Amino acid sequence: MIMAISDLSRTSGWTTDDLDLLPEDGIRRELLDGVLLVSPSLTDIHQIIVGRLMVALEESCPDDLQVTQGVEIRMSSTRAFIPDVLVATDEAARRRGRFYTPHEVVLAVEIVSPSSVSMDRITKPALYAQAGIPFYWRIEIKNGIEVHLGELDPSAGVYRATGVSDTRIQVAQPWEIDILIQRLTPRHMS
């Protein structure tokens, strides 16, 4: 069922059931407490970093986990986000669904763009932490790539910074990962 433009404004708020009725047309739609968020198309730099990060993570990813991108995390019926890259349990991936639940996600990665600064630096990490997703990485692109690493502090319900790197991502959790930032950098940025 294709919804008409007049259906876009609603007083009761959007739900994930409403998202399921929309066509799979490549438009990135997210929900924040019933408010429909539609993001602009991603830049080539953004997409190159996503692709390169996925390949780098996949090379060392344990068999019980799955690296993917563009898949929705449904936190509630009125809250759903689509991280740029995510790692979920292989069991969740075997369901072959259109979304994951937070307990199925191990790592969420967001690449900050001019239109997503507040969402990626403040809103999404707070809500991913509240949902119990163990790891959050934020990638900043300015005069190069800088990766901010965070691990969930379950008692506080927030991510604790575990490092910031502009040369190498080297962590022991969620598995042994060692990626040179240069490997993620688009050629025209080097």
Side-chain angles (χ1 to χ4, degrees):
M1 173 181 174
I2 297 177
M3 300 184 81
I5 297 296
S6 62
D7 294 332
L8 293 178
S9 62
R10 48 181 71 220
T11 57
S12 60
W14 283 79
T15 68
T16 54
D17 289 338
D18 297 324
L19 290 181
D20 289 341
L21 297 174
L22 296 173
E24 295 210 22
D25 54 8
I27 295 174
R28 188 182 194 103
R29 297 176 183 94
E30 299 176 301
L31 291 179
L32 177 57
D33 300 331
V35 175
L36 179 66
L37 306 173
V38 180
S39 301
S41 297
L42 302 173
T43 66
D44 62 340
I45 290 173
H46 189 281
Q47 292 298 78
I48 292 167
I49 294 168
V50 165
R52 290 179 178 201
L53 178 60
M54 285 182 59
V55 169
L57 288 172
E58 185 65 31
E59 288 174 355
S60 64
C61 185
D63 290 341
D64 63 332
L65 298 175
Q66 170 87 18
V67 179
T68 189
Q69 58 95 26
V71 178
E72 179 183 315
I73 302 172
R74 288 203 176 166
M75 299 176 198
S76 72
S77 65
T78 60
R79 190 176 289 164
F81 293 126
I82 303 172
D84 293 311
V85 175
L86 65 90
V87 177
T89 64
D90 191 56
E91 181 180 327
R94 288 178 194 274
R95 278 191 300 106
R96 296 183 183 174
R98 289 182 51 186
F99 64 89
Y100 296 128
T101 61
H103 76 276
E104 296 171 320
V105 178
V106 175
L107 167 66
V109 181
E110 296 288 358
I111 300 171
V112 179
S113 59
S115 64
S116 71
V117 173
S118 295
M119 287 294 289
D120 294 342
R121 290 182 185 164
I122 301 166
T123 306
K124 285 185 176 182
L127 297 176
Y128 288 155
Q130 183 183 64
I133 297 171
F135 297 92
Y136 178 72
W137 296 359
R138 185 182 81 241
I139 298 177
E140 298 276 349
I141 306 167
K142 292 181 183 166
N143 296 327
I145 294 174
E146 186 176 81
V147 182
H148 297 252
L149 308 168
E151 183 173 351
L152 182 63
D153 176 343
S155 62
V158 297
Y159 290 109
R160 298 288 181 209
T162 57
V164 176
S165 179
D166 61 359
T167 57
R168 173 178 239 131
I169 302 169
Q170 195 166 23
V171 296
Q173 295 293 326
W175 69 88
E176 291 282 337
I177 299 170
D178 188 1
I179 303 170
L180 291 173
I181 299 295
Q182 184 60 37
R183 183 171 179 202
L184 307 179
T185 306
R187 285 188 291 266
H188 61 277
M189 280 184 64
S190 353

